[in-house]
Amino acid sequence: MPADEAGIRSGVTTVVEAGITFPAFCATVVSTAQTRAYAFIDPSLLYIATADFIAHRLRLAVDWKNQDLDRARAVIETHRQVVVGRKARPTLKLGERESPTLTSALILGEEYACRS
């Protein structure tokens, strides 16, 4: 749904995106919408927003080697006025002690907490 359909044309002044890849969000929403638009970012290199969540079912999106904190930092630094948070999927299986997505969210949260 176009941001302005859900936003300004419906009486909503601000929307927050939490599912699309960041470059696509900037190209299709931030640069075109009248509605204020913010985003949560996902530093997973393999975030695939498919209907069946295949990247999650195959555990690709939660693998440490697929987290890209440097890319996430670059996006945050470049788009501070748009990025308001980090998406995290704290998925664990029995016996696991750490969630790469939650840990990377905590790392970025500590680095960028209360900074404007």
Side-chain angles (χ1 to χ4, degrees):
M1 172 178 278
D4 287 338
E5 290 296 318
I8 208 160
R9 291 190 191 115
S10 299
V12 176
T13 61
T14 306
V15 295
V16 178
E17 174 58 51
I20 195 170
T21 62
F22 195 81
F25 175 68
C26 284
T28 61
V29 178
V30 174
S31 63
T32 63
Q34 293 178 335
T35 305
R36 277 189 308 249
Y38 298 106
F40 294 104
I41 63 165
D42 186 338
S44 174
L45 290 169
L46 296 174
Y47 180 69
I48 304 168
T50 58
D52 60 0
F53 295 99
I54 191 70
H56 301 289
R57 291 188 5 218
L58 296 176
R59 299 198 44 84
L60 297 172
V62 296
D63 191 316
W64 259 119
K65 65 184 171 216
N66 296 323
Q67 301 297 304
D68 190 346
L69 293 176
D70 289 335
R71 181 178 59 95
R73 288 179 186 107
V75 169
I76 292 167
E77 292 294 334
T78 304
H79 301 282
R80 283 186 173 267
Q81 64 277 47
V82 177
V83 176
V84 295
R86 156 68 167 96
K87 294 185 283 187
R89 289 172 201 83
T91 56
L92 291 175
K93 286 189 173 182
L94 187 61
E96 293 178 335
R97 296 196 164 284
E98 184 177 43
S99 168
T101 57
L102 182 56
T103 300
S104 64
L106 292 171
I107 290 167
L108 292 172
E110 289 174 3
E111 290 176 11
Y112 292 95
C114 301
R115 290 172 53 181
S116 55

